[in-house]
Amino acid sequence: MADTWVLVADSARARVFEVTRENPTLREVAAFTNPEGRIAQRELRHDRLPRVNESMGHARHAIEPHTSLKQKSTDRFVRILRDELERGHATHGYEHLVLVAAPRFMGALHGALHDSLQKCVVAEVKRNLTPMSLAKIREHLPPRLA
């Protein structure tokens, strides 16, 4: 069993690493991508906005959605990551969890993680480290993980 899993994520990419007491180096165990996470909101393809009739007269107006397509994409990606973390915890893949994400994405993670996973979190780094090398990621993590 790995003692600690480290999730390094942003809205477009996520990597899961494991660290054990015997081997403190990061070993990648899973990687996920969300291509829509890198696309600017204005470039996301969406169908025509829904229309509503004016209460008086024959005018029709577009209704702006409450949640943007980009936010929906991020929420979907966070749920995928949460499910993977829950699966790993349920199969005793890890005891402790370290979350590494930009502040906005960290907020989305907090909103999605159930109590059982929240209790496993031993450290958080609020920075986007997904494009960095393993050595650079390790520099930003607590010295003792496992």
Side-chain angles (χ1 to χ4, degrees):
M1 166 176 30
D3 298 321
T4 304
W5 273 14
V6 178
L7 173 68
V8 179
D10 65 16
S11 61
R13 181 179 177 201
R15 300 163 73 187
V16 178
F17 302 97
E18 71 176 11
V19 178
T20 63
R21 285 184 190 98
E22 299 80 32
N23 186 3
T25 60
L26 296 175
R27 187 177 77 80
E28 190 166 338
V29 294
F32 303 88
T33 59
N34 178 26
E36 292 175 347
R38 291 260 186 254
I39 300 172
Q41 174 64 32
R42 67 183 179 282
E43 295 175 12
L44 282 175
R45 185 184 177 282
H46 58 277
D47 296 329
R48 184 176 166 184
L49 293 174
R51 303 286 174 175
V52 64
N53 289 325
E54 186 67 45
S55 59
M56 301 210 28
H58 298 287
R60 290 174 50 106
H61 303 281
I63 301 171
E64 287 292 323
H66 292 283
T67 307
S68 70
L69 293 175
K70 180 125 177 134
Q71 185 60 48
K72 286 181 181 181
S73 169
T74 298
D75 292 345
R76 189 172 33 251
F77 191 50
V78 166
R79 285 192 306 271
I80 290 169
L81 298 176
R82 178 202 60 208
D83 292 347
E84 181 63 24
L85 293 174
E86 286 180 350
R87 205 171 7 264
H89 190 253
T91 59
H92 306 288
Y94 65 94
E95 292 177 44
H96 306 290
L97 180 61
V98 176
L99 300 177
V100 180
R104 177 171 277 169
F105 196 73
M106 185 71 77
L109 284 170
H110 280 289
L113 297 183
H114 297 126
D115 288 342
S116 60
L117 287 181
Q118 290 281 1
K119 291 176 185 174
C120 294
V121 176
V122 295
E124 292 182 358
V125 177
K126 293 179 181 170
R127 290 191 63 187
N128 183 7
L129 303 180
T130 55
M132 295 187 178
S133 68
L134 282 176
K136 290 288 185 186
I137 291 171
R138 187 64 179 105
E139 287 176 13
H140 288 87
L141 299 176
R144 178 112 172 100
L145 286 177

